[in-house]
Amino acid sequence: MQETREQKKKRMVQAADALIEAMLDWDAEHATPNLTQIEDEVLTLRQQFGQALMGVVVGGQMAVQPATGVKCPHCGEEARFKGQKHKDVESRTGGLDIVRGYYYCARCRSGFFPPGQAT
Ligand SMILES: [Zn+2]
């Protein structure tokens, strides 16, 4: 199922809002931080926001995958769609937990995530 632009935006705004709250909490708890401490906190939150944006957009790309016509990377046999599964992916914005289509080849008796545009 694919999210609409508005649904994606809502999730991004929620992520931004949570991070802004975290920044304000941190600010309230640190009366006299030095520049390096502020910088560390901002960089951590920026990293988390990047991951949140990646999660929403990559998830949207994955939802576009076809359910049929996926070939096994080992033997070329047509593989069966087995549903959506979580997968950990490393990106330049940090680790991502994405949900994408998982397929199974009966001949090789193995499952796999077919390569997608976003990976
Ligand atoms: Zn196979």
Side-chain angles (χ1 to χ4, degrees):
M1 86 205 106
Q2 222 181 331
E3 277 185 315
T4 63
R5 180 191 176 98
E6 282 308 308
Q7 287 170 322
K8 288 179 188 175
K9 183 177 174 181
K10 192 178 170 192
R11 290 210 288 143
M12 289 175 179
V13 169
Q14 281 172 344
D17 191 57
L19 293 169
I20 289 166
E21 286 295 329
M23 187 76 238
L24 291 170
D25 287 347
W26 186 91
D27 185 42
E29 289 160 13
H30 296 79
T32 56
N34 62 35
L35 195 59
T36 302
Q37 290 170 316
I38 298 169
E39 201 176 35
D40 287 345
E41 187 63 15
V42 168
L43 289 174
T44 299
L45 295 173
R46 187 178 76 174
Q47 164 89 3
Q48 290 172 7
F49 187 56
Q51 284 177 273
L53 291 179
M54 283 292 287
V56 171
V57 175
V58 172
Q61 293 290 324
M62 295 304 158
V64 181
Q65 286 182 86
T68 57
V70 173
K71 305 271 189 244
C72 171
H74 308 291
C75 71
E77 190 84 353
E78 187 158 326
R80 282 182 51 195
F81 181 67
K82 300 294 280 184
Q84 303 285 334
K85 285 196 179 192
H86 286 268
K87 184 180 186 188
D88 292 321
V89 173
E90 278 304 315
S91 78
R92 285 182 294 152
T93 60
L96 300 172
D97 174 25
I98 61 171
V99 177
R100 53 176 307 186
Y102 186 74
Y103 293 79
Y104 183 80
C105 174
R107 184 189 286 176
C108 299
R109 293 183 182 175
S110 65
F112 62 96
F113 293 97
Q117 261 189 319
T119 48

